[in-house]
Amino acid sequence: MDLDTLLSFEWGTMTPEFIILGIIALLSVADLFMPKHVDRKILGWVGFAGVVLALISLVSLIGTETTSILYDTFRLDSFAIAFKLILLLGAALVMLLAIDYRTNEGLEEYKGEFFYLFLTALLGTMFMASSGDLITLFVGLELLSIPSYVLAGMRKRNLKSNESAMKYVLNGGISTAITLFGMSYVYGIAGTTNLKGIAQVFGGLSDPQHIYILGLAFFMIFVGLSFKLASAPFHMWAPDVYEGAPTPVTAFLSVVSKTAGFVIILRILLSIFGYIPVAQEDGQPIPLLFAVQDYIAFLAGATMIIGNVVALRQRNIKRMFAYSSIAHAGYILVALTAMSFVTFDAIWFYMLAYVLMNLGAFAIIQLITMKTGSEDISHFAGLYRRSPLLAVGMGIFILSLAGIPGTAGFIGKLNIFMGALMVDQAHYVLVSIMIATTVVSYFYYFGVMTQMFFRPAASDEKIQLPAGTTAVILITVIGTILFGVMPNLAIDFMHTNFNQFVDFMR
Amino acid sequence: MDFNYFLTLLVFSPLLGILLLAFMPKANESGIKMLGVLATLPSLILALIAYFSYRGGHDLANFSEKFRWIQFGGQGAEQQGMFTVNYELGIDGFGLIMVVLTAVIATLAAIASFHIKKEWKGYYMLFLLLEIGMLGVFTSENLILFFLFFEITLIPMFFLIGKWGYYDKEKAAYSFLIYNGLGSAILLIVIMVLFSRTGTSNIEMLSVMMNTENAPLFAPVSESLKMGLLIALLVAFGVKLPIFPLHSWMLRVHVEAPPSIVMIHSGILLKIGAFGLIRFGMGIFPEQFAELAVLLAVLGVINLLYGAFLAFIQTDFKMVLAYSSISHMGIVLIGLGALNEAGIQGAIFQVVSHGLISALLFFLVGVLYERTHTTTLANLGGMAKGMPLASGFLLAGAMASLGLPGMSGFVSEFMAFLGLFEEMPVLAAVGTIGIIMTAVYLLRAVLGITYGNAEREFDGVTDIRSFEWAPVLVLIGLIVLIGVYPAVLSEPLQATLETIMMGIGG
């Protein structure tokens, strides 16, 4: 590759990535040369500014032609932009939480690393959203995973944090290996790593042996990636890691990392397995993805049931939200199973709503656990007396997570139901499971409500609100209500700017 | 007169009260209570304006309003007018009557809430939110909007029971939440199946589409699916009504919730079940409804007898009234099961009449409890000595409830049984046992309280005083008015009844 070719690429499409990369470099060098006693908070603000800048540059890219550079390994289509918007929004809010985060084990000395590892993981997710090649997909996945392992173990004088990092690395390693193994089958049969190229080769596939092997590949890839979603069967790490990791990291894992998981799953599933023809009994071939729909449905059902039922027994709020987060992955998998013409819409909107409501909830959890030094649900008792605004805010997030109308979470669920019921063979069972488990979730969600509003407080001391966390809570409350009452703001934005994601494979 | 935004104003006017209350100082008890009552007046006045302008010859269609609200599924679907959910409010005669009933009882219950002892501010804010939900339910023109308001009633009720109730309040709040949550979950499935199959959620459109051959549906709806949906609707609204095996939550609520909230609950919320069955069950699935008519009549007789017999053996006055409510809801079912004009008219009359009567009785229970701190029948007795007026009103309420001619209870029971005797005389004859039982248990309880011997003496109890006059007089006045001059109800209902009868082909 000579200089002319290199310069001929439209590097502008990568502006958000370059901004994040630049900030990472800046922060790591600054952290190195800054005297020890200087507060690292400033680095956090620089990082936040960087994410916001990347967000702005991404918004300016909306409406550009679909471009793909670097020999189709990096593409900027509406799908990439739509999901990067959510990733960056989530990351910006997580940065604000991280700036305010304190522990009693003293995290100050690592705070610099804390910030640029965050950004590195974010960069990985952005690459996943934009990749057009198995290699870049995998590199993005690992770029997300490795900093996440370190982040989970950041409180290194805390046993639980150590345990969580250990579990995360082991589980993560296994699932990555399984994914990669699956991908190697795909490469072996297609002879190329480029997603478009693979789709072309697979379109003409007829050898049943090959299709059989690709079926195996599908399961390996799907199972391996379910680790990132924290959905069954690879959900076991989530409660331990969520509990042990510093709260902003937990928030990051449950929101940004999960979104990235869905991004990569959509990319791989649709662009590879959506093209493999599988012969049916009546002779009409259907894509492999549709042939295995029942298995995805099964995993979705299992994930919803496991997440919601086990959450009932949790006393630790972070563990409870870990199981709740597993359950939400299950809900989104329902949309994925349905594969109707609103699947993209449904997943995008649900992720947006989920970023808002879950990050808001984690902001309040972080505040309360930092204040009381305990993660037991009983420490939410009497929150309404101590800080009515926090209690009402948490109430709104919980109502949204529980899918009560008037909140973004409800519209998200509505979208998923619709998709699952409008397809030819409507998924009644799956939708029933989803609704039944939602009712089950009322028990634990309203358990927090009971603590906050009905139970007496241990102390009447008012709670101080740090600036960053307050901003997060305000933004997320407004977003949750706004997209619940006027969801057309987000939905119309998506329809006008992303045009049904038709350029997904072009 | 211009009626744009009239219904929006009517439904959301309590919001103004919520906002004003938010800025009231917590300690200002009388100010908060005054404001709480005043905030219910705008919707009452507007509801009365609507009623009298309708009697004055205005067309109810003038009240309809419609805005585009949510558009699912992108531009393709939008051009076909599919998957659009509009914000659309409107009323027919039935809706109008329910709105007036809601507004009247809400104002009276707000007055009855003067008995509330703590945290008046939160109480009235939730109370007004509840009113918005109820008014919205009766004015929604589409199912998704209906569901939204339906769920809005759920959340304030949970808190109103759980925080301001009696001894076992949290348990009652949870069983309310879970039963009704399940009910609305089933309702949501029905709504989403209809919406995703037909592409519309407008009630009128649906009733046309479901009953024309080859209607332009998005996906087919088979006859058996229609039957399944109707049965699901019956279960969903059966929880609310409540129909026999689904009633246990309602007993707890009647006993544990504060009397002012039970006025609302028994007066309005239970009626949403009947409203839904008539509006959606009969409206959208008339053919299937006719097939289920016998079942409904049988369920109605079971409800009537079961409630009456169990009311007879209760030792607590609140439990007597709770079972009496179950019994009286049986009459609604009987009327619906008769499936002729008299029966349906009787059912609707019973909905309104029981709303007024149970509000009156529970208001008096509140008055009694406030003075004696007991509702056990064994403890109460000879109240006629200390509080002759209250005892007199209690007797009047009981008379209305057992169907004394000249009061509203008589008209509704008479019509419902008239309808059923025409169709199923044997069943109707069995049902009349329930009417006799009603007289027995109500007279036993009420006469015991007013003239019986008590274990305890209540010295110096005060009779009805100051603010307590208003609810008692208004309610008794309305009960007698309907009893003497039923045309106040039957005239507005005429058009609705004709539509229903057309639908079921009678």
Side-chain angles (χ1 to χ4, degrees), chain A residues 37 51-52 62 66 162 165 183 202 205 229 310 313 318 330 383 414 445:
Chain A
H37 56 85
V51 178
V52 172
I62 292 176
T66 303
N162 284 328
M183 283 185 186
F202 284 0
L205 215 59
L229 312 178
V310 186
R313 300 204 42 88
K318 277 164 83 179
L383 186 62
L414 216 57
Y445 284 135

Side-chain angles (χ1 to χ4, degrees), chain B residues 278-343:
Chain B
I278 296 170
R279 194 96 200 272
F280 312 140
M282 278 188 176
I284 301 178
F285 308 105
E287 286 169 32
Q288 286 73 19
F289 199 90
E291 286 173 41
L292 283 186
V294 180
L295 175 72
L296 275 178
V298 170
L299 281 175
V301 171
I302 292 176
N303 248 40
L304 181 61
L305 295 179
Y306 172 85
F309 277 101
L310 280 164
F312 182 65
I313 54 168
Q314 297 307 314
T315 54
D316 187 294
F317 190 44
K318 280 197 272 186
M319 282 302 267
V320 174
L321 294 182
Y323 277 109
S324 149
S325 280
I326 294 179
S327 173
H328 279 99
M329 288 303 102
I331 295 178
V332 175
L333 288 174
I334 286 175
L336 294 184
L339 215 64
N340 50 26
E341 197 165 337

Side-chain angles (χ1 to χ4, degrees), chain A residues 247-262:
Chain A
T247 312
V249 178
T250 311
F252 178 81
L253 293 180
S254 91
V255 172
V256 182
S257 182
K258 195 190 288 284
T259 311
F262 277 103

Side-chain angles (χ1 to χ4, degrees), chain A residues 312-351:
Chain A
L312 291 174
R313 300 204 42 88
Q314 304 306 318
R315 297 296 307 161
N316 180 303
I317 186 101
K318 277 164 83 179
R319 282 185 86 83
M320 197 186 93
F321 268 77
Y323 282 107
S324 134
S325 164
I326 293 172
H328 283 274
Y331 302 152
I332 304 174
L333 280 180
V334 174
L336 191 66
T337 314
M339 276 303 154
S340 68
F341 75 93
V342 292
T343 291
F344 272 117
D345 299 12
I347 294 181
W348 187 80
F349 190 87
Y350 202 90
M351 285 320 314

Side-chain angles (χ1 to χ4, degrees), chain A residues 341 385 405 414-415 417-418 421-423 426 435 443 446-447 450 453-455 485 487-488 491-492 495 500, chain B residues 68-74 83 119 151 158 162-163 170 174 177-178 185 188-189 192 195-197 218:
Chain A
F341 75 93
R385 289 221 155 278
L414 216 57
N415 232 333
F417 289 147
M418 221 173 67
L421 291 171
M422 68 169 41
V423 287
I435 286 189
F443 270 106
F446 279 81
T450 314
F453 291 99
F454 296 168
R455 298 286 152 81
V485 178
N488 55 333
I491 294 178
D492 286 351
H495 289 159
Q500 302 285 134
Chain B
R68 181 177 170 274
W69 184 34
I70 319 174
Q71 170 65 52
F72 293 105
F83 299 108
E119 302 197 32
E151 290 276 284
F158 173 77
K163 199 166 173 82
E170 279 186 26
Y174 264 95
L177 182 76
I178 296 307
L188 183 61
I189 295 185
M192 289 320 288
F195 184 51
S196 55
R197 301 261 120 186
F218 180 79

Side-chain angles (χ1 to χ4, degrees), chain A residues 186-335:
Chain A
V186 171
Y187 173 65
I189 291 176
T192 169
T193 56
N194 189 288
L195 293 182
K196 259 193 209 165
I198 294 173
Q200 262 164 22
V201 175
F202 284 0
L205 215 59
S206 56
D207 186 346
Q209 289 284 337
H210 285 170
I211 289 165
Y212 177 68
I213 289 177
L214 284 173
L216 283 179
F218 167 81
F219 281 111
M220 282 191 274
I221 292 177
F222 191 81
V223 164
L225 289 179
S226 69
F227 168 78
K228 278 272 162 270
L229 312 178
S231 71
F234 262 118
H235 65 280
M236 264 83 105
W237 61 276
D240 292 319
V241 174
Y242 279 32
E243 186 187 355
T247 312
V249 178
T250 311
F252 178 81
L253 293 180
S254 91
V255 172
V256 182
S257 182
K258 195 190 288 284
T259 311
F262 277 103
V263 166
I264 189 171
I265 278 206
L266 282 175
R267 275 270 182 224
I268 291 198
L269 290 194
L270 292 182
S271 50
I272 298 179
F273 298 103
Y275 288 86
I276 302 171
V278 180
Q280 288 299 100
E281 280 165 18
D282 57 6
Q284 282 294 325
I286 56 165
L288 178 70
L289 188 55
F290 284 46
V292 294
Q293 224 174 25
D294 289 350
Y295 302 97
I296 308 180
F298 176 75
L299 285 185
T303 308
M304 291 187 285
I305 293 172
I306 292 171
N308 279 315
V309 171
V310 186
L312 291 174
R313 300 204 42 88
Q314 304 306 318
R315 297 296 307 161
N316 180 303
I317 186 101
K318 277 164 83 179
R319 282 185 86 83
M320 197 186 93
F321 268 77
Y323 282 107
S324 134
S325 164
I326 293 172
H328 283 274
Y331 302 152
I332 304 174
L333 280 180
V334 174

Side-chain angles (χ1 to χ4, degrees), chain A residues 22-98:
Chain A
I23 296 284
I24 293 170
L26 182 72
L27 288 189
S28 49
V29 173
D31 188 42
L32 199 62
F33 288 106
M34 257 161 79
K36 264 214 164 66
H37 56 85
V38 177
D39 193 354
R40 294 308 201 247
K41 234 180 172 172
I42 181 76
L43 296 182
W45 287 109
V46 173
F48 173 70
V51 178
V52 172
L53 207 63
L55 195 57
I56 293 169
S57 71
L58 183 68
V59 170
S60 73
L61 285 174
I62 292 176
T64 51
E65 284 284 295
T66 303
T67 34
S68 94
I69 58 172
L70 296 171
Y71 300 106
D72 268 352
T73 56
F74 185 96
R75 46 188 289 127
L76 189 82
D77 46 18
S78 54
F79 173 83
I81 297 179
F83 279 92
K84 272 192 236 176
L85 277 179
I86 293 178
L87 294 169
L88 284 170
L89 173 72
L93 296 176
V94 170
M95 277 307 268
L96 285 177
L97 288 187

